Amino acid sequence: MNINRRGFISLGAASVAALGLAACGNDATTPGTETSTGATNGGGSGAGGKVGVSMPTQTSERWIADGDAVKSQLEEAGFEVDLQFANDDIPTQSQQVDQMITQGVKVLIIAAIDGTALAPQLDAAAAAGIKVISYDRLIRDSENVDFYVSFDNFKVGVAQGQSLIDGLAERFSSENPANIELFAGSLDDNNAHFFFNGAMSVLQPKIDSGEFVVPSGQTTIEQATILRWQQEAAQKRMEDLLTANYGDKKLHGALSAYDGLSRGIITALENNGYSGETFPIVTGQDAEIASVKLINDGIQYSTIFKDTRLLAEQAVKAAVALLEGNEPEANDTETYDNGVKVVPSYLLDVTTVTKDNVTEALVDTGYWTQEQVDSGVA
């Protein structure tokens, strides 16, 4: 994906002036490789020091966009950047972070594959005086997490659940009860729990009242989880659910925590003969271009747009503050307890995207072009 086709949001002019920043080009990474070493000064001087950026995978366009956005904005801020992707492999991410520490980075920005697996690396970072920013996925069970930047993940789940409710009311108002199934993210991702709990906060009352029914009976996150958020695993689970529970009934909706899962669910539904105006309501998250096209075509019902350009901006601001010996600006100091301490956090808001507001939310903001939305190709 050519991230340069998006208009990145840079740090404000005052911050740029204060830091004496120099703009530089953005090296887009290439999907499909296990790791991508972005150790480079780019067009910046690297005067701010070296920052290690650890992203979980390149199999999701969302994480490619995050990695490139963080790298681009850090380089604009005068940092040297080592960007690594871990291919959803925990030992690989651990090794990459170890290497960053050995190379003398000043700050680590980490989107963890498993939020509980990096304690030794964080201990080593603390011993070396390296600050740690947990990026989007909260790193757990360690006191050595200095700051957390993310979206309001409980609200993400609420928005997904409410979108499912709205879509069912729009498309299946005469169906009572409506049959739904639940798909959650990977249990080792702390965010998956926030997403699921947020969604269930609005869906559970509907289930309790009998307005919604889950024919499979699989209503806990442990039953609904999809390891590593894999599209193929979501497709297989949906196929199994349809075979076991829908011989004499129709599915009306599926809660999906992520666009990749959504596309797997949709494939399974299409393979089982679902189509047209009675296609089940399927939610999603991350505004991946393939799913945005499905939404624009009236197949996937919705996605939750999390503007990763803004998240990258907050990560850079936090890195600058920590290196200057200051506390980064936080707007939440109560919610994100990682099991050892409450991590000060900056949370961003999100937007629910349906066919009605694709242009306003994604094209007008420069996140995707109309050509990309029409083609489904970034």
Side-chain angles (χ1 to χ4, degrees):
M1 178 171 68
N2 185 353
I3 306 300
N4 286 316
R5 296 177 70 177
R6 300 186 188 177
F8 282 126
I9 297 174
S10 62
L11 292 169
S15 298
V16 173
L19 291 168
L21 309 183
C24 68
N26 174 27
D27 256 345
T29 53
T30 302
T33 56
E34 291 188 6
T35 62
S36 175
T37 303
T40 173
N41 286 333
S45 66
K50 189 172 186 178
V51 177
V53 180
S54 177
M55 292 286 155
T57 185
Q58 286 178 299
T59 61
S60 164
E61 68 186 31
R62 179 265 159 100
W63 290 114
I64 298 172
D66 277 270
D68 284 350
V70 173
K71 179 175 181 286
S72 173
Q73 293 188 31
L74 282 169
E75 288 177 340
E76 287 179 7
F79 294 99
E80 181 182 356
V81 183
D82 183 2
L83 168 63
Q84 299 278 347
F85 293 87
N87 200 31
D88 268 332
D89 182 69
I90 295 168
T92 296
Q93 186 167 48
S94 299
Q95 182 182 38
Q96 289 172 347
V97 174
D98 281 333
Q99 290 172 345
M100 292 174 185
I101 294 169
T102 301
Q103 292 167 3
V105 300
K106 303 299 183 183
V107 176
L108 284 166
I109 299 174
I110 302 173
I113 297 168
D114 182 337
T116 65
L118 293 174
Q121 284 71 34
L122 268 59
D123 289 344
I130 298 168
K131 300 297 185 180
V132 175
I133 298 170
S134 186
Y135 185 92
D136 199 43
R137 296 175 171 180
L138 183 64
I139 298 173
R140 297 189 53 80
D141 302 335
S142 175
E143 65 180 351
N144 301 313
V145 182
D146 297 285
F147 201 70
Y148 179 46
V149 294
S150 189
F151 297 89
D152 191 325
N153 294 311
F154 188 86
K155 284 187 178 180
V156 170
V158 171
Q160 289 176 329
Q162 187 59 53
S163 180
L164 180 59
I165 292 169
D166 294 344
L168 289 169
E170 177 184 313
R171 193 171 297 174
F172 298 106
S173 59
S174 62
E175 300 289 343
N176 192 8
N179 297 319
I180 66 170
E181 296 293 343
L182 311 173
F183 286 74
S186 193
L187 290 179
D188 53 12
D189 181 346
N190 193 66
N191 286 354
H193 301 266
F194 280 95
F195 299 151
F196 192 78
N197 291 339
M200 293 307 287
S201 73
V202 294
L203 292 177
Q204 192 64 55
K206 301 283 189 180
I207 295 170
D208 291 344
S209 70
E211 186 176 345
F212 293 171
V213 172
V214 183
S216 70
Q218 297 181 15
T219 59
T220 69
I221 190 172
E222 291 79 11
Q223 294 169 315
T225 185
I226 301 296
L227 180 65
R228 300 284 184 270
W229 304 84
Q230 293 177 341
Q231 179 172 331
E232 296 80 4
Q235 179 179 338
K236 177 64 165 57
R237 179 168 180 260
M238 186 76 260
E239 289 169 347
D240 291 344
L241 291 175
L242 292 171
T243 299
N245 302 282
Y246 289 87
D248 59 347
K249 58 175 69 75
K250 292 291 185 181
L251 177 70
H252 300 113
L255 173 75
S256 171
Y258 158 61
D259 285 343
L261 305 185
S262 308
R263 294 193 296 276
I265 292 165
I266 288 168
T267 299
L269 292 170
E270 290 176 334
N271 289 345
N272 277 267
Y274 287 88
S275 64
E277 295 180 356
T278 59
F279 198 83
I281 302 299
V282 181
T283 65
Q285 180 180 185
D286 283 345
E288 292 193 344
I289 191 58
S291 284
V292 173
K293 175 173 170 50
L294 290 173
I295 291 168
N296 205 42
D297 291 345
I299 299 171
Q300 183 171 323
Y301 182 75
S302 66
T303 189
I304 305 302
F305 173 44
K306 296 159 45 173
D307 196 332
T308 55
R309 299 166 299 183
L310 300 179
L311 187 60
E313 182 175 346
Q314 289 303 322
V316 173
K317 286 181 177 179
V320 171
L322 289 169
L323 284 174
E324 291 177 344
N326 299 322
E327 293 291 329
E329 178 188 359
N331 60 11
D332 188 308
T333 57
E334 299 178 355
T335 304
Y336 287 88
D337 187 333
N338 76 348
V340 176
K341 71 175 189 180
V342 175
V343 182
S345 307
Y346 194 97
L347 306 180
L348 294 159
D349 210 349
V350 298
T351 302
T352 301
V353 178
T354 65
K355 187 175 182 178
D356 291 340
N357 68 335
V358 165
T359 299
E360 176 185 357
L362 301 177
V363 177
D364 292 349
T365 62
Y367 195 78
W368 295 118
T369 67
Q370 189 61 53
E371 180 183 359
Q372 289 168 325
V373 170
D374 293 339
S375 68
V377 178

